[in-house]
Each structure stands twice: as structure tokens, then as C-alpha cells.
Amino acid sequence: MVEATNFIEQIINEELESGKVNSVYTRFPPEPNGYLHIGHAKSLCINFGIKEKYNGKCNLFLDDTNPSKEKTEFVNAIKEDIKWLGFSWDKETYASDFFPKIYELAIELIKKGKAFVCDMNAEEISQNRGTLTQAGKESPWRNRSVEENLDLFTRMKNGEFADGEKCLRAKIDMASPNINMRDPVIYRILRQTHHRTGDEWCIYPMYDYAHPICDYMQGVTHSICTLEFEDHRPLYDWVGIELGFAPKPRQIEFARLNVTNLVMSKRYLKKLVEDGSVEGWDDPRMPTLTGLRNRGIPAQALKDFCGRIGVSKANSEVQISYFEACVREYLNANAERAMAVLNPLKVTITNYPENQTESLDFEINPSDELKRTRKIDFSKTIYIDQDDFSLAPPPKYFRLKKDGYVRLKSAYIIKCDDVLFNEDGSVKELLCSYVPESKSGSDTSGIKTKGVIQWVNAEKGKDVEIRQYGYLLNDEEYAGQDFSERMNKQSVKIFNGKVEPYVLDNADDRPYQLMRTGYFKLLNVKDKTILSEIVSLKDNFNVKK
Ligand code: ATP
Ligand code: MG
């Protein structure tokens, strides 16, 4: 028996032990009405995680019972996202695959006296549903004969009635303390072209009724969903019991993932795309899986995160910094180092020979066991970051200041001898001298420097646009306010920087740690190649191992 790491696995273990089930079958059930987001990753990790752990099966089940919102574009995007996470489904199934069966079983319920055609419209039904403290009122159509119900339901299917004129309801209990059990609607008339069945049907089953049937037909043993479906479980079970499902699939609910500073409602994400607040569903600031992928978040880091936050029944909010710490930890071990500057400041090394270029060793990644290096070119003119020089340095300023020393990463110690100014008083250029005996790896200069800064060779370095991102939503202190009031209006910062040519020459999807700046990858935005931030370097959260 495998060791259970959460309450769902505990349930599965108990059922396997008692012989209630002898294999495990789950499904991931998105509605194809939008793009998957980081919350769905949690559900994916749970469902496919169980498949992998128990050597079971997991289907991709597309819940397409609501034709007005569903599109094939979304189906394709969902598939791509799941593949990116490295999961593979056993079967690709659709609720619409089962429409004939779902219809047939509705007839069975009618024959058992467990469903009836109701002439009330949606508004009347909701008015008669009662409240938490008050029982609902029975429909005047509740006691129609089986024959009449069969006839009317067939005519509903044949298109004899207008949309909403009639519906099919389960006959359960209008006095049930659970409002979902008060004769819920299980079929409605709706003339909408379905993305797969076209105009074949003008009646569509409701999710609560269709879902247990689809689970059962696929052989699903554990139907895992989020907490808001807890109150729907009695109806899920009612359908299974009335239709004699054996073995009946078991619904288990867990708490959905919420992350601070992230918008996670499909409806709102859609609005951001439509009003142009972001560049698309795959904008690197979006918490969609396509956005995270485009941003350069490694799939493995996202899976590590989902594993670490655990699975529980209590709703909570996870700090975005925890997610970032998982990403950073992965990238720290896996990303190559490189050098770039966001705000270039020219430095001329006055005592370095004109027209000389020196090839220096640069460590690819300090945690690389093979200690591999690559070559970087050093010469007389370089750029450093404006932030690494100060005219009025505070105490303990270890970067460059007038008459001070600093080490250039993997190169030499330099001293700032003179500062040239622009007409407006801003710093134009630094005149420095280098210490020839201070070469990294063979330093005999005896000069102690506390600061090490990155630099880019002026002649070989390339111009590049560098983007850093903030969150789409302002901090938790605004929590509870409407999303539109929490929007961060400055979620992108753009720099005209310089980068070593190596980064642009290796224009694939690989992540880089731009030293002392953050993790970045190359991204094409409107035919322009930019360096786009994956996650900043600042670590303000410790990952517990
Ligand atoms: P909507 O209701 O707007 O369609 P949804 O988020 O419920 O959005 P589904 O496509 O129905 O989207 O979700 C597919 C599966 O992912 C469901 O099992 C759902 O419970 C789960 N899921 C959705 N959001 C989260 C979340 N934030 N955390 C964990 N699981 C989630
Ligand atoms: Mg949903």
C-alpha cells in the first residue's frame, strides 16, 4: 500500500484495503469556456497525481453541458496546458458523448416516477424553492402521470416547445433542508448550437444530473471536485442510487487554491484580455497556465508548488511569495548565469590597452557539479548599472563610488577615478582604472572589496528591452474590494538595457539568471525580442523542505 499524503489518498487507501474498490480511476473535468489557471493546476496535480501514484487511470473529461459558452479553441488550449504539465490522460471524453445515454436515463427516472415535466419557468421555480428556513412549494405539475411525462419529455426533445417553456425536474423533496434537493431541474430546453453536437439537441441536461452519469459511464471511482460542490453531493448520490449505479462513484471535495495578488476568476481574466489591460491570455502577468508557460515558469516548479501546499478541506489563501520561492528554488539550481544591465552607465578603463580583448572564464552555474564555464570578453569600455554607482553613497555602500573599489564579476577590481557629467548634472560616464593583478581566480592584488557587480562589454554587448513585472492585483490590504479597484496600474516596467551577446545568440526558451537582477527568458512581443522576467531574485520567503 502506498503512503497517503492527504485525506483523499487516505480515503482511497481505506477503500482499497476494505475491497470497496480494487483500482482507481479519476478525471479532470474542466468546462471548455476559458483558459486553465494556476488553480486548475492544483486539481490537475491531484487527479493525475492519484493516477500515477496508484497506477490507475485518469480521463480528460470536458464538461460541455452548457453550449452557449463553450468553444473548441478552449478545448485545444486546455489540452496543450495539460501536456505542458507533463500529464497524459487515458481517454478524452465529453459530456456530449453521453447525451444519448443521459437522455435514456432521464426516461428511466420518469418511468420510476422520479422525474416530471414542469411548466413553470425559471423565475417561478426559483420563487417557489423556499429558503434555508422555509420549505419550498410543490409544483402543480409534480403529480403528472408517467405516460403524460413521457409524452411531454419526448415532445420537449422533438422541439415542440419554446426555450424555457417546460423543463424536466427530479422528484425528490421540496422540504429538504438542502435546497439542491428540492426537485432540481435536470433538463432544460435551449436552442443553441453546440460546439460538438451542432443542432442535434434542443434540450440539454443540467450539470448536477449529467455529471454522476458521465462519471459512472467512464468507470470513474473517485470524482474529485472543489468544496463548493459539497452541497451538491446528496444530489450526485441520489442520481447514482436511483439509477442503480454499481459501483457508484464517490465524490470527494477539497478546498480550491487561492493565491494573494492573483486574479483567479475566469470571468475577470476574460475581462482583462478584452479591455486590453494585458496583451492576451498568454500575457506573462496572467495566472493562466499559458501565461505562466509564456512567462517561463518551469512546469516542474509549478508541480512542486502544488505538492507542497497540500490538499485540505479548509479554504485558505496561499502567499504569492511562496509560489515565487518554489520557482526561484528550481531556477537557482537550473538556470544559467549571464550578465545584463537595466540602466547602462558607461565605464572607460583608462589604463586598459586600446583594442585589446581578453577572454575570461565565467561560471555557468555555481551549483554545477562539473564546474563548467564559458568565455566572456573584457575590454576597455564596459557598461555597469547606474544603480551600482553612487555620488553620495550611504554608509556601508559596497558598490562603486568615487575613489572606491569594486570587483567586476569574473574579471578585475576597478577603482573610480573620475566622473563625467551631462549638461543636466546627471552622471554621463565613469573613468576608472583596473588592477591587473586582481583577475578573478588568480588575484594577488591584496585589495579587499566587499562588492561584486555585473557588467557588459560595450563593444560586444547588445541593446535589449528588459521587462520586469509587478502583480496584476495590489496587496491583500485591498482584499475584499472589487477586482477593478485592486488593479495595479504599473504591473510592467520597461528598461532599455544591455546584455551579453551570448543570451541573444541562444534564443530558445531557456531561463537565465541575470546576475543580481532576476530570472529572465527571451520572449517575442510583436516581432521584437525582449528579455522578460520570470521571477525576481529577492527572496522574502523561506521554502520549508
Ligand atoms: P467556472 O465555474 O468559471 O467554469 P471553474 O474554475 O469552476 O470555473 P472548471 O473548468 O469547472 O472551472 O474547473 C475544472 C476543475 O478544476 C474543477 O474540478 C474545479 O473544481 C477545479 N478548479 C477550478 N478552480 C480551482 C482552484 N482555484 N483550485 C483548485 N481547483 C480548481
Ligand atoms: Mg466550474
Side-chain angles (χ1 to χ4, degrees), residues 346-414:
K346 188 174 172 190
V347 173
T348 300
I349 300 167
T350 49
N351 61 340
Y352 197 84
E354 202 82 51
N355 302 324
Q356 176 173 316
T357 299
E358 210 176 327
S359 198
L360 302 170
D361 289 326
F362 183 80
E363 245 184 345
I364 285 174
N365 184 327
S367 55
D368 178 27
E369 282 171 9
L370 301 173
K371 293 278 163 229
R372 279 170 292 191
T373 58
R374 63 181 170 82
K375 296 291 182 188
I376 49 167
D377 291 330
F378 186 75
S379 38
K380 191 175 178 76
T381 319
I382 61 168
Y383 291 106
I384 65 168
D385 205 285
Q386 284 169 19
D387 279 353
D388 287 333
F389 174 76
S390 176
L391 277 173
K396 298 204 174 163
Y397 186 83
F398 299 128
R399 290 165 277 165
L400 196 56
K401 54 192 172 196
K402 177 93 192 329
D403 300 322
Y405 289 93
V406 80
R407 172 169 287 285
L408 297 174
K409 173 70 191 167
S410 300
Y412 295 95
I413 293 173
I414 57 169

Side-chain angles (χ1 to χ4, degrees), residues 465 467 523-530:
E465 179 179 317
R467 290 192 189 179
L523 190 69
N524 286 317
V525 178
K526 296 188 180 125
D527 293 333
K528 184 162 65 170
T529 299
I530 66 161

Side-chain angles (χ1 to χ4, degrees), residues 29 31 63 228-229 256 266:
E31 186 180 351
D63 163 32
E228 69 272 21
F229 290 100
R256 59 171 55 226
K266 271 187 208 163

